[in-house]
């Protein structure tokens, strides 16, 4: 067996299983295995043995919405397997189901002893990250109760309660203790010659805060039918390009992923919503920036994503100053977590506001949604939220006092609070990091677009001409300041950021393409930037690198300093098209589609920055989310930018 994990996801639930369908609970690689619901691991062991031994995978689990594998007992060439096991697994919201079929390969009756070791440790996802931090859990109690048809695991810490129920049909012949806290379910199967026996295994997770018990499907095939119906409904009516089948396939794959990456959220009036989660395995939750960009990419085809994302973010908008001033009135949330550590304040991400750009993107999406649909109802409903977001940009955000949106490192959270939020992502060409407050270029473009779009709403929906004129003036002033302060004449390119003293952070970075998308640059400057992004140091052949090669700060396997991000490139492509650089837009679009085609038409979160001329296939980034909502929606943005060309 390898330590590869195969991801099954539906709504706020995902499972990561090994090649043979097992869950070991052992940390390995860049992602944990287990069944996860609302940031907690509800299955930490799910290990099959047959006649006391671990079988080997004859056909390992392949990627897909259902995990299927074929297992046989270990043996040699001269010992044909006495039986074959066919294993099928699937997830739905709060549930995991498995069908296990054991088939005898012998011409005489045989007896097979099946054992399944199961456990639920209820570990918070933050405990499983690679930083290996530990968190005190004073008073936590775990319980195990044997049922007639299985076992129930429970967890309690103060008012926090969670449980996982494992049942089977037929019921196990016994439930054994293992000495580790896990329980072993055992069955003794008497098989006639070449006969089969089946076990139906069902897991129901009831996390703290869940509003209702999960609906556990009868079988993996029933779960798969639900998912296929959801995916089909989500793709229905989207005009896939007939002249570019590879783009059509990438759009279809992306829509299928978006269908299952929607998680529950609540609107301002308590209404239940489904919004795009950021991605699996680490971010199956609402992240403001990610949900907004995903909804923007999908807007012409699936406006219901925006219709859910906007009220969900309005409902979590900050109304007062929080600890460390990360939360400020009018600010849009960066991350929402439902886990135990967030609940008890041991991590700051229950509602975390460490993002400089989610707030302007909220306004951009609200304006774009109203324009796309022609329906002003949502803009009317969220007028107070939009005005509060503008208020944050002008006041706490820094537009009035500093002239730009500005962020400061958060000691308990994120140092960088733009989309490139890893440590060291905002840097000079030599790799040095700015000190003090940071004014990231891309966020200024979003702010400019937000001001203009909100001015249009003020004039056409809210009937406030004075407010509209104020916002238009602020947008024009921002544009003038930006081109004066950020433009690096020696490079004919904008700086990545300004530091707290107004000095240019001079790395040549892909964020300049976001300025094309937002329309912040004059036409002459925009055309220079667009063509520069297609030069070989930037363009890898699979997309535009986050940082141009040749700079000391560049690294092809750095998260934000040389890698290629599909959603970043989707924004660049939309920006190139906006400035009339259609050949360049098609070049980037074809590169991304080619990268998707190599990987089963799915774009990952991020790729390594190695060039196509030396690497005939895209090199994966080692810790990328395999399913990520912005990347899933990126082909739709390409379709908008270049059509079926």
């Amino acid at each position: 067996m390898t330590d590869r994990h195969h991801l099954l996801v539906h709504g706020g639930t995902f499972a990561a299983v090994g090649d043979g369908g097992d869950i070991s609970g052992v940390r390995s690689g860049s992602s944990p295995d287990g069944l996860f619901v609302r940031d907690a691991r509800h299955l930490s062991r799910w290990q099959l043995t047959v006649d006391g031994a671990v079988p080997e995978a004859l056909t390992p689990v392949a990627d897909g919405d259902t995990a299927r594998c074929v297992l046989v007992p270990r043996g040699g060439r001269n010992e044909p397997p006495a039986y074959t096991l066919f294993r099928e697994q699937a997830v739905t919201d709060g549930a995991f189901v498995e069908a296990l079929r054991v088939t005898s390969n012998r011409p005489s009756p045989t007896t097979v002893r099946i054992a399944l070791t199961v456990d639920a440790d209820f570990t918070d996802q933050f405990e499983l990250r690679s930083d290996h931090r530990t968190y005190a859990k004073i008073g936590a109690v775990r319980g195990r109760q044997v049922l007639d048809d299985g076992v129930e695991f429970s967890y309690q810490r103060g008012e926090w309660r969670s449980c996982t129920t494992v049942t089977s049909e037929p019921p196990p012949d016994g439930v054994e203790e293992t000495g580790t806290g896990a329980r072993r379910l055992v069955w003794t199967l008497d098989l006639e010659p070449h006969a089969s026996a089946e076990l139906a295994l069902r897991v129901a997770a009831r996390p703290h805060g869940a509003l209702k018990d999960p609906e556990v499907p009868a079988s993996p095939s029933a779960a798969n039918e639900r998912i296929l119906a959801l995916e089909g409904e989500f793709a229905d009516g989207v005009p896939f390009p007939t002249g570019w089948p590879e783009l059509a396939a990438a759009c279809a794959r992306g829509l299928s992923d978006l269908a299952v990456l929607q998680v529950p959220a609540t609107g301002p009036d308590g209404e239940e919503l489904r919004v795009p989660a950021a991605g699996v395995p680490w971010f199956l939750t609402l992240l403001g920036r990610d949900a907004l960009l995903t909804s923007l990419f999908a807007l012409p085809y699936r406006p219901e994503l925006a219709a859910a994302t906007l009220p969900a973010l309005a409902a979590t908008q900050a109304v007062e100053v929080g600890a460390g001033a990360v939360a400020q009135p009018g600010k849009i949330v960066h991350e929402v977590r439902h886990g135990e550590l967030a609940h008890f304040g041991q991590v700051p991400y229950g509602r975390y506001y460490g993002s400089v750009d989610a707030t302007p993107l909220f306004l951009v999406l609200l304006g774009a949604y109203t324009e796309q649909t022609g329906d002003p109802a949502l803009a009317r409903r969220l007028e107070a939220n939009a005005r509060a977001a503008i208020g944050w940009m002008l006041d706490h955000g820094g537009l009035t006092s500093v002239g730009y949106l500005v962020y400061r490192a958060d000691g308990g959270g994120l140092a960088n609070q733009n989309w490139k939020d890893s440590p060291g992502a905002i840097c000079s060409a030599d790799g040095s990091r700015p000190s003090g407050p940071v004014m990231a270029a891309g966020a200024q473009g979003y702010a400019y677009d937000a001001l203009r779009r909100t001015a249009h709403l003020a004039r056409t929906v809210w009937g406030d001409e004075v407010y509209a004129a104020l916002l238009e003036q602020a947008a024009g002033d921002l544009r003038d300041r930006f081109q004066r302060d950020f433009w690096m004449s020696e490079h004919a390119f904008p700086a990545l950021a300004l530091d707290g003293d107004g000095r240019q952070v001079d790395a040549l970075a892909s964020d300049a393409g976001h300025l094309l998308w937002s329309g912040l640059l004059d036409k002459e400057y925009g055309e220079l930037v667009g063509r520069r992004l297609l030069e070989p140091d930037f363009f890898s052949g699979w997309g535009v690198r986050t940082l141009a090669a040749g700079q000391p700060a560049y690294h092809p396997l750095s998260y934000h300093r040389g890698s290629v991000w599909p959603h970043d490139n989707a924004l660049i492509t939309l920006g190139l098209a906006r400035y009339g650089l259609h050949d360049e837009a098609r070049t980037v679009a074809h590169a991304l589609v080619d990268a998707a085609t190599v990987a089963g038409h799915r774009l990952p979160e991020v790729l390594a920055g190695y060039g196509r001329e030396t690497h005939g296939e895209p090199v994966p980034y080692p810790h990328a989310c395999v399913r990520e909502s912005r990347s899933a929606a990126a082909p739709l943005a390409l379709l908008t930018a270049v059509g079926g060309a």
Side-chain angles (χ1 to χ4, degrees), residues 23 54 71 89 136 189 249 321 358 396:
I23 294 168
V54 176
L71 310 175
Q89 301 164 327
L189 305 178
V321 174
H396 291 285

Side-chain angles (χ1 to χ4, degrees), residues 105-120:
N105 298 323
R106 288 178 170 172
S108 57
T110 189
T111 298
V112 181
R113 187 175 188 270
I114 301 292
L116 185 69
T117 302
V118 298
D119 198 5

Side-chain angles (χ1 to χ4, degrees), residues 580-644:
L581 300 172
H582 298 294
D583 289 343
E584 289 81 357
R586 281 190 289 269
T587 296
V588 178
H590 275 276
L592 284 181
V593 171
D594 288 350
T597 302
V598 171
H601 306 291
R602 174 182 284 141
L603 286 168
E605 174 192 22
V606 55
L607 296 163
Y610 295 107
R612 190 170 185 170
E613 71 280 0
T614 56
H615 299 275
E617 292 189 354
V619 176
Y621 179 81
H623 308 294
C625 286
V626 177
R627 296 195 191 186
E628 202 241 19
S629 63
R630 292 174 302 178
S631 291
L636 299 174
L638 303 181
L639 180 59
T640 300
V642 304

